[in-house]
Amino acid sequence: MTKRVHVAVGIIVNQAQQVLLAKRPDHLHQGGKWEFPGGKVETGESVTQALMRELKEEVALEVTSSEPFMALSYDYPDKQVLLDIHTVIHFTGEAQGLEGQQIAWVEKHDLINYDFPDANKPILDKILENAERTSPC
C-alpha cells in the first residue's frame, strides 16, 4: 500500500456564484478530467497554507480566506488520496491556467455535465445538494 496523498482542494466561487474548474493535463493521474483546483499539502504546511500556495501557483488567485467544506479519503487502484476541501469566496486576481491547463467558470447546475475523477463525486454531490437548498423556487 502506498502512502495516502494529502491534497488541499478549493471550491472557488465568484460573485456570479460560478465555480472554477481546471482540466487535469492528460499525462497526470486522472488526466483529461475536470477538477476543483488545488494540490498536495507539503510537510510543515497547514491545509490553508497549501491551498493558498497552490491556487496562486496554478490559477493566479490570491486567497484571502477559506472555510472548510468537507474532507474525504478515496482509494484508486493505483493511488490513495485524502482530500481536504475548502470553499473559497474571498480572493483577488483573475483566474488563469498558469500551468497550461484549461479552466472554466461553471454554473453550479452545469457541473453535472463535466467529467470528474471518481474521488470528486462526493464533493460534486454536496455542492449540488447545497445549491438546490438555497435556490429560489
Side-chain angles (χ1 to χ4, degrees):
M1 192 71 136
T2 60
K3 184 175 180 247
R4 191 169 295 277
V5 179
H6 191 187
V7 180
V9 177
I11 300 169
I12 306 161
V13 183
N14 65 15
Q15 290 184 334
Q17 295 302 300
Q18 298 166 314
V19 178
L20 184 65
L21 299 182
K23 194 168 192 181
R24 292 185 62 77
D26 289 335
H27 68 280
L28 295 181
H29 183 261
Q30 299 291 305
K33 295 188 177 186
W34 291 88
E35 67 177 352
F36 304 101
K40 291 180 190 169
V41 178
E42 302 294 342
T43 304
E45 271 186 325
S46 70
V47 173
T48 301
Q49 289 170 329
L51 186 64
M52 292 172 83
R53 176 183 52 76
E54 286 286 348
L55 295 182
K56 184 175 183 177
E57 292 173 0
E58 286 186 15
V59 293
L61 295 179
E62 293 271 354
V63 175
T64 52
S65 69
S66 67
E67 294 290 325
F69 183 73
M70 69 187 296
L72 62 95
S73 291
Y74 190 86
D75 295 342
Y76 290 102
D78 58 337
K79 190 176 202 173
Q80 293 77 42
V81 294
L82 168 61
L83 303 180
D84 251 314
I85 304 105
H86 283 226
T87 304
V88 177
I89 57 172
H90 302 307
F91 60 89
T92 59
E94 189 168 320
Q96 337 170 24
L98 293 180
E99 297 174 342
Q101 75 278 38
Q102 186 178 346
I103 62 169
W105 287 105
V106 178
E107 299 291 336
K108 290 177 185 174
H109 64 271
D110 286 334
L111 291 171
I112 59 170
N113 299 319
Y114 288 77
D115 187 21
F116 287 88
D118 289 342
N120 283 232
K121 302 292 191 219
I123 304 168
L124 188 60
D125 290 346
K126 187 170 178 180
I127 291 171
L128 294 172
E129 178 184 305
N130 288 350
E132 285 175 13
R133 273 195 262 138
T134 59
S135 65
C137 293

